Amino acid sequence: MAKSQISMTVNGKKVEELVEPRTLLVHFLREQLHLTGPHIGCETSHCGACTVDLDGKSVKSCTMFAVQANGTDIRTIEGMAAADGTLHALQDAFREMHGLQCGFCTPGMIVRAYRLLQENKNPTEEEIRFGISGNLCRCTGYQNIVKAIQYAAAKLSGAPFQEAAE
Amino acid sequence: MIPASFAYHRPSSIKEAVTLLGSLGDDVRTIAGGHSLIPMMKLRLASPAHLIDLAGIADLKGIREDGEDVIIGAMTTQHEVIASDFLAKKIPILSETSIVIADPQVRYVGTIGGNVANGDPGNDMPAVMMCLNATYHAVGESGERRISAREFYQGAYVTALKPGEIVTAIRVPVPAAGHGHAYEKLKRKVGDYATAAAAVVLTASGGKVASCSIGLTNVAETPLWAEEASKIVIGSALDAATVKKAITAAEAITSPASDGRGPAAYRTKMAGVMLTRALGRAKARAGF
Amino acid sequence: MNDMTPTSAERAEKLQGMGCKRKRVEDIRFVQGKGNYVDDIKLPGMLYGDFTRSPHAHARVKKIDTTKAAAVPGVVAVLTAETLKTVNLDWMPTLAGDVQMVLADGKVLFQNQEVAFVIAEDRYIAADAAELVEVEYEALPCNVDPLKAMAATAPVIREDIKDKKEGAHGPRKHYNHVFNWQAGDKAKADAAFAKADVTIKEMIVYPRVHPCPLETCQCVASFDKIKSELTLWGTFQAPHVIRTVGSLISKIPENKIHVIAPDIGGGFGNKVGAYPGYICAIVASIATGRPVKWVEDRIENLSTTAFARDFYMETEIAATKDGKVTGLRCYTVADHGAFDACANATKWPAGLFSIISGSYDFPAAHVSVDGVYTNKAPGGVAYRCSFRVTEAAYAIERGMDIMAQKLKMDPAEFRMKNLIRREQFPYTSAFGWVYDSGDYQTALQKAMETVGYKKLREEQKKRQEAFKRGETRELMGIGVAFFTEIVGAGPSRNCDILGIAMFDSAEIRIHPTGTGICRLGTKSQGQGHETTYAQIIATELGLPADNITVEEGNTDTAPYGLGTYGSRSTPVSGAATAMACRKIKAKAQMIAAYMLEVHDDDLEWDVDRFRVKGNPERFKTMTELAWAAYQEVPPGMEPGLEAINYYDPPNFTYPFGAYICVLDVDVDTGSSKVRRFYALDDCGTRINPMIIEGQVHGGLTEAFGIAMGQEIHYDDEGNVTTASLMDYFLPTAVETPKWETDWTTTPSPHHPIGAKGVGESPNVGGVPCFSNAVNDAFAFLGSTNIPMPHDNWRTWTAADKLGLHR
């Protein structure tokens, strides 16, 4: 199938590329833009490892064609840190709270957590668990991921972080 | 994991979309949020030669009032349904349903139009729309027609939509103020289709059910409007004996598939249990 | 020394050594999306491979026509069994002494079996072409029921060995029989049962499940035609084994094979063995002279790579009427699918299943396991448990509950009465295993007290009465499990993989500036080895953990090891690390003595330095000694400061734990909600409590998935009905309970740092704990055994059978 030209902003940079219509956004990001942060863990849109932030929405990049993302503004895990390399509060928090082990779900999880905290600055534990229910993890059992998100939420809103009694 | 090739089209108006649909032959699909279609394409269960993306059509978005109805643009996402204070006030069963569809990412992209139009018996909105007596606006080359949700579903992935038509909006009559509602969905985990689900909208008068409408999800090849069960509870205070009779009537119209969610007999029983719980919650909300 | 000199404690804290919650080194790249996983690898000229797979569970392959596929623009080659025959790779040996088809050779034996391998310029073209390979099948009757595999009229699965009366593990009694393996003393056990007051017998089934790591199996094979050398990147939990096996089967000399396991997105046992995808990618690279990448998708992963469990265990316990166990018997049928590709140590076709006597003092016991072939995917592996240990733990823990029920004893009290006592350690079980250490009673006591066990049972009684009165439709279940694991494979006298002893290794080199590098034969897939091994070194050598780089996975530079699975890293390579450190420390001591002009024996170690006994102002830090090792060593001594240790463990290690689960079952839907889960683990010395906690959380979550919904299910025609994440139950953050973790510490006396390993304990103990809880909810109504998984419909069906829906 003939390729078409698409352009979009990815992690703050304008990109212009040729893609087949059937090229999945996740493959476009990983193979053409060399952003290997978003990962592929399934082909049935369940695992969320491919999650990116697109026009202010958490989107599974495996369930969208790159052509559909023409003209959009996308942020991947590679765009979470500041320009000077300072890690985003969530990236720090995941490390601080041991919210990752193999790291495979982590990019999607952090990018989703970012949007979750934009939707809700101070989510309860239940809201966090529901908010990340589109992201599967096999290593951590989610508990420390929840803690990491709570920690980041506190940091971002300047509130003190209270670690729940063990 | 990899879909077959297709040609991609992105019309900017309903007219353009309909013209394309009529001119590209038989092997063409429209794509709304794509979260039903793209997974199927990736498994090569669907391989259309042409894809018409509806995302560029502004007229397919928006939520507005029209007399006693609410009109929801087909491309309204589940996320937008949940975020709409207007819908939360007027037709609260809609957001209650949206929130149990799939997961946050899917809800950001998946549309209410896609959910009602593709005929997947697992989708949640169809039974709710039947319950609400909604009407779908369908536009084809010969213009617009309106199809009652209760007459829309003919079989698994088979609907009353003719080739060349697209659903552009959903028209929902606003339930009476003070109505009771509930969408009760049993599922194996977040993101799963219903093992069985029941939608109830009812009104009460003098401590008794004045009107009632019941929809059932994923317990047949189509969503079900449980008309008989609804009739049984009218005039009652939803006492245990009446509810039992309504459950029996509801179970009688089910013919679920046996799958990982359970054998057919179990799923029929679950339709009954979900309906019992939905009636209970609707009753409490209606305040009697 | 003055007030400004840091104290020993302060210096120790700075080192971030053993016992502290050191933040993970690997996180820095992972949280930035800069991990280096196999599918991130891009090489110039790289091709992509994809499989055409069989829709049939059992069929003759009459014809394969690759013409259309090969004609697709961008397709470079299509491999079939015929192609592989020319290089003798149409079949490959398995780790269990069997052979396995790489590509279908005249027959297919399980649904989705590999039939052809298409190689193309990009993965999209490969996918298109894989659909165009035309295969003519003649369907054959299939069997997916292991209990029917040895029937006289069962379909012949393995025509290649049909008439072979001897298998890799002894005589075969049927054409679908793989092996019979026994352990214990049959006569003694039979005698105990003959005179027992009370016996129970129950078929305990552990269904087929799959480790399902988030990253699927994949590799990149790159054969350099000029140098005749193969570089193979892959998801390998045991990279050295892959290299050796790869050399033996491909005939490429081992020194010309470079196997590299980069970052791996979870393993859980799935990534131990070799798969057709690896072989085909290697052959394709050799044939085309270009790198070839193979990445399987999730359905391929779940339906064709190594499954776990599928054990049918007829379990019997004998006891006195006052509740002392006297005998244990278990007859098991093990479903190995179409090929026995079980990743066990060679002498153990049923792994370490004889840990089945568990934490209890059984004077007499006997097990017998028959492996059989069926039309299912080959395997199995240890899915986050040591070899067959979770199967054994499940059988004994369910068995103990069933016996407690028969004796009308509380399950926790019954266990307490039969736990091996601390005075009995080291304890030799009825199967000959020497358990290294344990204080079981203290652990169970602590667990029961912490959860308020007595109060929970009182509450349960009240709720049961309320249920009977019709006041509630929920049933409360309390599950208890006390498991003992056998991990750290293993002593060379017991354990080898294809003949290679299961030692492991650590090579440590300290640089002149006092930093260093440690390379090991294990391979992390998320366990945090870059962080934890450095902590061992920090404590042993007094160098800050941050100064130690830890590397695994590159077979050219890492010393030989058997990889990471079965919780063996800490017991074996952790020991090797300590031993290598001690060699370095001994050399450093001699250098210090030389520099301080004292005798070696006049020095004592203090956190990060050697100091003169009685004269502590005279000391040399390890950092100073590192510099000295390259500058001026005592006459006759080699310069440098490094050591390597290959550790052959004298024994396995035996972590244990006490788990208690409280859940409530909604009788009308069959759904269970976990109210509380308390897990007390004893893994001996605790290297990094934060990482231990994370491992326990993760293992419990996998246990939860297994107990409450996972199964790889086949219908009667051999179709896999649970091959995608739509149906294979991976819990989200919503379903996953909150975990409470706790611990006791009984170090392993034979391990250099007393550590036992912990990664898999929670899966071993968790599964029976959940299952016991669900069973316990219904026990008061006379229910004896409800099999796993405890998903909604099965639990509802059990309730229905008990008449609870009338």
Side-chain angles (χ1 to χ4, degrees), chain B residues 95-154:
Chain B
S95 57
E96 180 160 303
T97 305
S98 288
I99 202 104
V100 294
I101 293 176
D103 61 51
Q105 288 93 314
V106 177
R107 289 193 291 272
Y108 261 121
V109 181
T111 65
I112 196 166
N115 201 275
V116 302
N118 74 4
D120 181 345
N123 288 347
D124 294 283
M125 282 298 177
V128 175
M129 293 303 170
M130 293 176 95
C131 177
L132 290 166
N133 200 16
T135 311
Y136 305 145
H137 293 203
V139 176
E141 277 186 315
S142 48
E144 185 191 272
R145 66 187 182 107
R146 302 195 181 176
I147 313 167
S148 165
R150 290 174 186 168
E151 275 142 34
F152 189 75
Y153 302 98
Q154 297 169 348

Side-chain angles (χ1 to χ4, degrees), chain A residues 22 24 27 30-31 36 41 43 77 91 95-96 98 100-103 125 129 138-143, chain C residues 24 31 37 39-40 42 123-124 128 211-212 298-299 383 525 694-695 697-698 701 731 733 736 738-739:
Chain A
R22 65 169 172 166
L24 296 168
H27 284 140
R30 289 180 53 83
E31 309 290 319
T36 55
E43 63 274 19
I77 184 69
Q91 291 171 301
R95 182 165 190 238
E96 195 62 35
H98 190 37
L100 66 147
Q101 292 180 26
C102 81
E125 166 148 8
R129 286 178 179 267
R138 293 291 282 148
C139 296
T140 68
Y142 305 105
Q143 194 150 315
Chain C
R24 291 192 350 154
V31 299
Y37 302 91
D39 199 12
D40 298 344
K42 289 183 183 59
R123 64 182 91 207
Y124 281 51
D128 289 341
C212 199
R298 178 59 59 192
I299 291 173
Y383 165 9
Q525 319 106 44
Q695 289 296 306
H697 289 174
T701 303
T736 304
K738 286 176 73 160
W739 311 114

Side-chain angles (χ1 to χ4, degrees), chain C residues 451-467:
Chain C
V451 303
Y453 186 80
K454 274 208 174 69
K455 276 216 157 68
L456 286 171
R457 285 292 179 197
E458 285 162 17
E459 182 195 344
Q460 184 184 40
K461 196 120 186 77
K462 289 204 180 81
R463 284 176 185 264
Q464 285 167 351
E465 278 145 30
F467 183 84

